[in-house]
Amino acid sequence: MSHISISAPPPEAANSMRSFRRTFVLTSVILVVLCGIFLALGYLQGPKLSSAQVDADAVVTSSDQTLRLFANQAIAAVDPAAVTVEPAIDATASSEGDLISVQFGQALDYNTEYTVSVEGVTTLSGGPESTLTYSFTTGEPELYYLDRGEPNDEIIRTGLTSQDRTVVFAGVGIQEFIPVGDVVAFTTAAADRTGTLTLANPDTGVTEQVLLPEAGEVADLDATRSGSLLGFTISSEDPGPIPTISHTLYTVDLDRGRDVVAVNDLDGEPMRVTGWQFVPGTAEIVAVTTESTLVRVDTTTGLIIPLGGYFDFDRVSADGSTAIVNDTTGSAAVTLADGTEVRLHPSRIDGEQPFIGQTDADADGNLVAKMVLVGETGATFSSVLAFDNGEESRVLYQTVGDKGAILDFEVSPNNQFVAVEVQPNVATLDSDQYVMNPRPQSTTTYLVEIATGAVTRSVEGFGAVWR
């Protein structure tokens, strides 16, 4: 019989094993203690900001934009009023899980650093409160305009502060233009006013002419601010007693091809309009029909909502809240959400009562408008662009020596600036004599800050489009 003998480990091995066990136990205890310390510190300090998301370009275009703040752990519901923004604007906060959503009450200013703070943030189990803070700088828009000249007319893109001048497209006889998606749409007109609609791609240099359903004047171009929907009207040169086409409104979705589709009226027939525009930031249309009805049209569903009886269309406000229209008693701002009407009566300028013309009215009732001041004798008058807060009006722009004329204006999407189209001196007859949409050759567009009335820059051209 064999015997198996088990010998004891040498003393050195036993000591090594005991040392390992002591080290392991000690390390485990230290790790537990450290975890406890870190947990205690986290509890004592409260939640922290781990990341944030915001579209710096979108926040300057509309009032429905959101900043998302992510905490390092799940948090309790925050007070909607616990958010502050510097520079000060209205904002509200809501939370779910580790996310705090801050919704801004208005479009933000261009090229501005904002600091957002949410106070009183705690974990789900309570504990100390903390404040989550995040700073970001907003973007600024591109501005397009048309500079007519020899040998070509030029569609120009520039910045709000930059002096860079990029020629997007150059061609002969451009009547109107509008950027849409990756292209620029523009119209030309023959001597008989028969028009063409052309698409130009600035990146490739490729142009294509859109096949139109009828021959006639092509005008009133507009496009959705984002997306690919383009709209325009076609009018017969001589519509006759029973016109087949007269100021008929059409759209074409460039992402889906080149099919030109008539917008239908309440009776199911093609809609004929005296004026129209896309609601900024949407694919909805607002128009005054030749039947003197203000309508809002959902281009997706075809739903048409009548908003009242008016015979003339001015514009949809830059913030998309109202339509400015006219009837036999004057001008009105119609709220697009419910059709509520507010008659427009301008406030006094330095004690004088002005007469109101073209107007932009935001959701708060503030007006940017062309106004005329008549001298005491009635023999002189001044044409100005003014801002009216409902209590008083102040001049934003007035031509030097009242020698010029304010031809048109376009408020920026965030209501911070206005592009003012000016003829510096009406005594000089310098029309470019275009068949449609003629302009003085001296037309200059000034960018004016609405809050201060400061002119920030000027460009030689007209038809300003904010994008």
Side-chain angles (χ1 to χ4, degrees):
M1 174 181 293
S2 63
H3 296 277
I4 299 174
S5 64
I6 302 175
S7 60
E12 295 82 1
N15 291 336
S16 177
M17 183 65 69
R18 286 193 294 271
S19 176
F20 170 77
R21 289 172 181 168
R22 285 195 300 269
T23 302
F24 177 78
V25 171
L26 180 61
T27 301
S28 299
V29 170
I30 292 173
L31 289 174
V32 169
V33 172
L34 287 175
C35 288
I37 292 173
F38 289 141
L39 288 172
L41 287 174
Y43 180 82
L44 292 173
Q45 294 179 357
K48 293 183 178 297
L49 180 67
S50 62
S51 63
Q53 294 178 352
V54 64
D55 189 329
D57 293 323
V59 292
V60 298
T61 63
S62 64
S63 60
D64 58 355
Q65 298 299 311
T66 300
L67 164 66
R68 292 174 174 83
L69 304 174
F70 294 91
N72 61 348
Q73 57 189 303
I75 59 174
V78 300
D79 182 351
V83 57
T84 58
V85 183
E86 183 62 38
I89 63 165
D90 293 333
T92 58
S94 60
S95 61
E96 181 178 358
D98 63 348
L99 170 64
I100 298 176
S101 297
V102 177
Q103 184 160 357
F104 301 112
Q106 64 192 68
L108 307 188
D109 285 349
Y110 299 126
N111 195 25
T112 300
E113 184 180 50
Y114 283 87
T115 299
V116 179
S117 300
V118 182
E119 299 178 344
V121 182
T122 64
T123 65
L124 291 173
S125 58
E129 297 181 348
S130 61
T131 298
L132 304 189
T133 300
Y134 181 72
S135 297
F136 64 95
T137 299
T138 57
E140 63 177 56
E142 294 178 323
L143 186 73
Y144 292 77
Y145 64 95
L146 177 59
D147 183 8
R148 286 179 178 161
E150 297 290 344
N152 289 318
D153 301 329
E154 295 178 333
I155 300 171
I156 305 297
R157 181 178 65 235
T158 188
L160 184 65
T161 55
S162 170
Q163 298 296 319
D164 291 343
R165 183 181 185 273
T166 302
V167 178
V168 175
F169 179 79
V172 178
I174 299 175
Q175 307 292 328
E176 295 182 52
F177 81 95
I178 192 76
V180 51
D182 296 329
V183 302
V184 173
F186 65 90
T187 62
T188 60
D192 64 357
R193 301 177 71 89
T194 300
T196 63
L197 175 62
T198 303
L199 307 176
N201 188 314
D203 296 326
T204 64
V206 174
T207 62
E208 58 176 309
Q209 189 169 315
V210 177
L211 180 62
L212 301 175
E214 299 278 355
E217 299 178 2
V218 184
D220 304 320
L221 291 182
D222 196 20
T224 50
R225 189 174 291 162
S226 60
S228 58
L229 197 58
L230 169 68
F232 54 93
T233 61
I234 303 179
S235 304
S236 299
E237 179 186 1
D238 182 13
I242 305 177
T244 58
I245 179 171
S246 180
H247 292 291
T248 303
L249 181 57
Y250 292 92
T251 63
V252 54
D253 190 337
L254 300 182
D255 277 351
R256 298 185 177 184
R258 299 296 183 263
D259 293 336
V260 177
V261 180
V263 177
N264 287 333
D265 207 337
L266 290 164
D267 59 4
E269 295 297 319
M271 182 179 292
R272 296 167 182 167
V273 301
T274 60
W276 81 282
Q277 188 181 330
F278 283 111
V279 179
T282 77
E284 293 188 337
I285 284 171
V286 172
V288 171
T289 71
T290 53
E291 301 297 323
S292 298
T293 302
L294 176 66
V295 295
R296 183 172 183 171
V297 183
D298 187 327
T299 59
T300 303
T301 64
L303 177 65
I304 303 173
I305 302 175
L307 297 173
Y310 305 91
F311 65 79
D312 184 54
F313 176 86
D314 185 347
R315 71 189 67 207
V316 176
S317 61
D319 65 3
S321 64
T322 59
I324 310 302
V325 289
N326 298 285
D327 58 18
T328 55
T329 61
S331 300
V334 179
T335 302
L336 297 179
D338 57 13
T340 302
E341 174 193 89
V342 175
R343 307 306 299 191
L344 298 181
H345 302 291
S347 303
R348 291 179 175 271
I349 299 178
D350 296 330
E352 295 186 43
Q353 183 62 52
F355 297 92
I356 197 167
Q358 293 170 291
T359 303
D360 187 296
D362 68 19
D364 295 326
N366 299 311
L367 309 181
V368 174
K370 288 172 62 176
M371 297 185 186
V372 175
L373 292 167
V374 180
E376 293 182 0
T377 63
T380 62
F381 67 91
S382 299
S383 177
V384 303
L385 187 73
F387 174 80
D388 185 349
N389 64 6
E391 298 180 356
E392 64 177 0
S393 296
R394 58 180 172 82
V395 174
L396 291 176
Y397 187 84
Q398 186 172 5
T399 62
V400 178
D402 288 328
K403 294 180 179 180
I406 296 172
L407 306 177
D408 203 354
F409 67 91
E410 192 70 24
V411 177
S412 66
N414 67 349
N415 288 294
Q416 185 183 0
F417 290 88
V418 57
V420 191
E421 187 179 310
V422 175
Q423 181 182 7
N425 192 337
V426 296
T428 302
L429 301 177
D430 61 345
S431 172
D432 56 29
Q433 298 183 340
Y434 273 54
V435 175
M436 296 172 59
N437 195 28
R439 284 293 194 277
Q441 297 179 45
S442 60
T443 299
T444 302
T445 296
Y446 296 90
L447 302 187
V448 180
E449 188 176 37
I450 294 175
T452 64
V455 176
T456 60
R457 67 171 301 193
S458 65
V459 296
E460 295 182 359
F462 64 94
V465 179
W466 298 90
R467 282 293 186 268

